[in-house]
Amino acid sequence: FYLWDDLTIQGTGKTKLSLSGDNSTQIFYSEANLTLRDIRIANGSAETGGAISMGFYNGASGTLNLERCVIQNNAATLEGGAIALTNTH
């Protein structure tokens, strides 16, 4: 998901709702505020931030809020295996 506007996702529980990159893609790239609650984010893959990259390419800024989340089995080839934060609050 590429996000340019603020987004909040309220899951149903980290053992009940999963978002997967299927070991082939990044799950979230955000240039805005991103809040994730009660969700599992797994198997993301990218150069930076396998699961989530915030404001990395265009110098945008945003806030990442994770509440009761599981971040699992993500990989990056350059930096931020699971999460890469640049120019964030």
Side-chain angles (χ1 to χ4, degrees), residues 63-78:
T63 300
L64 174 62
N65 296 298
L66 301 173
E67 301 174 18
R68 297 174 305 276
C69 293
V70 172
I71 311 296
Q72 183 176 35
N73 299 328
N74 297 281
T77 57
L78 296 178

Side-chain angles (χ1 to χ4, degrees), residues 1-4 26 28-34 46-64 76-89:
F1 300 102
Y2 289 88
L3 307 172
W4 289 271
Q26 186 176 65
F28 290 103
Y29 168 75
S30 180
E31 294 188 10
N33 297 317
L34 175 61
E47 287 185 352
T48 58
I52 302 168
S53 184
M54 297 285 297
F56 191 80
Y57 296 106
N58 297 316
S61 63
T63 300
L64 174 62
T77 57
L78 296 178
E79 60 188 11
I83 300 171
L85 303 173
T86 303
N87 298 326
T88 58
H89 311 198

